[in-house]
Amino acid sequence: GAVVSQHPSWVICKSGTSVKIECRSLDFQATTMFWYRQFPKQSLMLMATSNEGSKATYEQGVEKDKFLINHASLTLSTLTVTSAHPEDSSFYICSAAQGANNEQFFGPGTRLTVL
Amino acid sequence: QKEVEQNSGPLSVPEGAIASLNCTYSDRGSQSFFWYRQYSGKSPELIMFIYSNGDKEDGRFTAQLNKASQYVSLLIRDSQPSDSATYLCAVLNSGYSTLTFGKGTMLLVSP
């Protein structure tokens, strides 16, 4: 149980374009999902908390107009990186919380490269 | 600002030895603590969590929690080369559903 998928697993795009990443909980419903970003040799940094049916909560320093989050159903959250630039190149990972102790289970991640 | 501190390592142990990974946290109100394993280029996978003072065992892994000292540790018995990875300590922020992660400790188990 507690399987989370992400799509795509990697993407290369040109600067200025937008990229959408999907995160799905496959065997459970997740009212809350999380989006992280990880640069090489660094730890996970929480970008935002995605809540089903309401607006996402962004961490300080994360531009909500650049990183659009939509949590349309209990099993799907999407992150759209708008007008991507090379500095947005990173490993984007989503997670979904389950259980009384809010254990987070991570998707396999999406490696974004912006040329 | 809530902080989670880990020694970056690498921690090198021979195969079959016990690996001890440590973590301290700043938020005294935190109640739940998690250990994740992350292989290079992959996403984290949950090893175990602990919320009560003392020890919690799961197979070769033992998590230890001391809330008074704000200290969490993970022991890996009979370490295997396949255990070589970065181990992330995560703390559930009090009053929220978010986690704060440490920078991780790299473990290297040599055959």
Side-chain angles (χ1 to χ4, degrees):
Chain A
V3 179
V4 178
S5 71
Q6 264 182 262
H7 177 82
S9 56
W10 59 269
V11 58
I12 301 173
C13 69
K14 293 182 179 180
S15 184
T17 60
S18 295
V19 174
K20 178 185 282 189
I21 303 170
E22 291 186 350
C23 177
R24 294 181 186 273
S25 56
L26 298 185
D27 53 358
F28 65 102
Q29 294 184 328
T31 54
T32 304
M33 292 183 173
F34 305 87
W35 287 96
Y36 294 84
R37 181 168 52 182
Q38 186 176 37
F39 292 105
K41 306 291 186 183
Q42 296 189 24
S43 189
L44 293 164
M45 294 302 297
L46 178 65
M47 298 175 67
T49 302
S50 172
N51 303 296
E52 189 268 337
S54 64
K55 292 183 179 180
T57 302
Y58 290 82
E59 296 299 300
Q60 190 173 7
V62 178
E63 301 174 58
K64 63 180 181 180
D65 294 329
K66 181 172 180 61
F67 299 99
L68 302 179
I69 292 173
N70 186 295
H71 196 146
S73 74
L74 288 173
T75 60
L76 173 64
S77 177
T78 61
L79 168 69
T80 300
V81 183
T82 63
S83 186
H85 288 94
E87 57 265 31
D88 298 323
S89 299
S90 187
F91 191 39
Y92 291 86
I93 316 173
C94 73
S95 72
Q98 187 193 38
N101 289 285
N102 280 306
E103 302 101 280
Q104 288 189 26
F105 297 90
F106 286 85
T110 297
R111 197 162 299 280
L112 170 64
T113 300
V114 184
L115 302 177
Chain B
Q1 184 174 353
K2 298 166 184 173
E3 295 181 345
V4 178
E5 299 288 340
Q6 292 182 261
N7 189 319
S8 61
L11 173 66
S12 296
V13 300
E15 183 175 359
I18 296 175
S20 178
L21 304 160
N22 305 314
C23 171
T24 59
Y25 60 94
S26 64
D27 184 0
R28 189 170 286 278
S30 298
Q31 296 296 318
S32 297
F33 308 86
F34 303 82
W35 283 100
Y36 287 85
R37 177 174 61 196
Q38 186 175 26
Y39 292 109
S40 181
K42 303 294 185 181
S43 66
E45 55 180 316
L46 181 64
I47 298 175
M48 62 190 304
F49 66 88
I50 187 169
Y51 53 84
S52 298
N53 275 327
D55 296 358
K56 179 181 179 182
E57 186 175 319
D58 184 358
R60 295 188 295 116
F61 300 97
T62 299
Q64 300 175 316
L65 173 62
N66 184 325
K67 291 184 181 178
S69 301
Q70 296 175 239
Y71 176 89
V72 193
S73 66
L74 179 70
L75 301 178
I76 306 175
R77 289 182 299 281
D78 189 23
S79 296
Q80 301 296 310
S82 59
D83 293 327
S84 298
T86 296
Y87 289 79
L88 303 172
C89 172
V91 176
L92 185 67
N93 298 313
S94 55
Y96 298 91
S97 60
T98 59
L99 293 176
T100 297
F101 282 85
K103 293 185 177 180
T105 298
M106 181 182 293
L107 173 65
L108 298 176
V109 181
S110 55

